[in-house]
Amino acid sequence: MTNKTPASAKLTHFDQGGQAHMVDVGSKNDTHRIALASGCIRMKAETLALIQSGTAKKGDVLGIARIAAIMATKRTSDLIPLCHPLALTRVTVDFSIDDAASSITCNAQAETVGKTGVEMEALTAVQIGLLTIYDMCKAVDRGMVITDVRVMEKHGGKSGDWIAEA
């Protein structure tokens, strides 16, 4: 497994003339593909306590954020212009709370059996999950910060496995 991209690698969403295009994946083999993405939202301690207590005015913040994140994975190709629409086989979204840092981390895993990866779907899930938390709590804390959104792992496909460096 390697985490390095060769210097000779080219951007695949541009043709030889420099025009944007959807990558042709027709000749690729179907493989089981998995991507895990993560991100964090920092907030006031009072906001985190409100979420944990389940007494936020708009309801179960993390439950609603989980559903929003899952729904978002299914709309990724509608949001990112050159993404292929995928038949997802599994999506999981989990939230972990860090009281000391007054933050919530969202981890999303997307899976498919197909010709192209699911990194964008996992990243979309994280972003929408965190944005939903922001939306539901902005009335009490407009200073929340979404940070560190990134792909943590990807498995399957021609390029094989990749794991982010710590």
Side-chain angles (χ1 to χ4, degrees):
M1 158 176 27
T2 179
N3 287 347
K4 296 187 178 181
T5 302
S8 62
K10 63 178 184 156
L11 298 175
T12 58
H13 285 87
F14 296 95
D15 64 18
Q16 292 192 358
Q19 299 298 310
H21 72 102
M22 183 180 251
V23 175
D24 180 2
V25 297
S27 63
K28 291 173 126 184
N29 293 324
D30 284 347
T31 62
H32 184 217
R33 296 166 182 267
I34 302 169
L36 174 66
S38 182
C40 181
I41 185 166
R42 294 189 318 261
M43 62 196 67
K44 294 177 185 174
E46 300 82 24
T47 307
L48 185 59
L50 187 66
I51 292 169
Q52 288 176 296
S53 72
T55 58
K57 192 172 187 179
K58 291 186 178 181
D60 176 8
V61 173
L62 298 184
I64 293 168
R66 179 176 290 106
I67 296 300
I70 292 168
M71 290 174 64
T73 62
K74 298 188 280 184
R75 300 300 300 260
T76 300
S77 66
D78 293 334
L79 300 169
I80 312 293
L82 300 176
C83 279
H84 292 84
L86 300 179
L88 296 167
T89 57
R90 182 172 187 248
V91 176
T92 62
V93 177
D94 297 302
F95 295 98
S96 58
I97 295 172
D98 183 339
D99 288 309
S102 192
S103 66
I104 299 172
T105 297
C106 177
N107 291 300
Q109 182 172 308
E111 296 185 35
T112 192
V113 175
K115 299 177 182 302
T116 190
V118 288
E119 295 92 341
M120 296 309 298
E121 286 72 13
L123 286 166
T124 300
V126 168
Q127 292 281 25
I128 297 301
L130 296 174
L131 284 169
T132 300
I133 293 170
Y134 185 93
D135 180 53
M136 293 187 72
C137 298
K138 70 181 182 276
V140 296
D141 187 356
R142 293 198 186 275
M144 291 176 281
V145 176
I146 295 172
T147 185
D148 298 324
V149 175
R150 65 185 186 143
V151 174
M152 302 302 294
E153 298 181 24
K154 75 84 128 177
H155 303 281
K158 183 178 176 182
S159 65
D161 296 344
W162 180 87
I163 298 175
E165 295 179 11

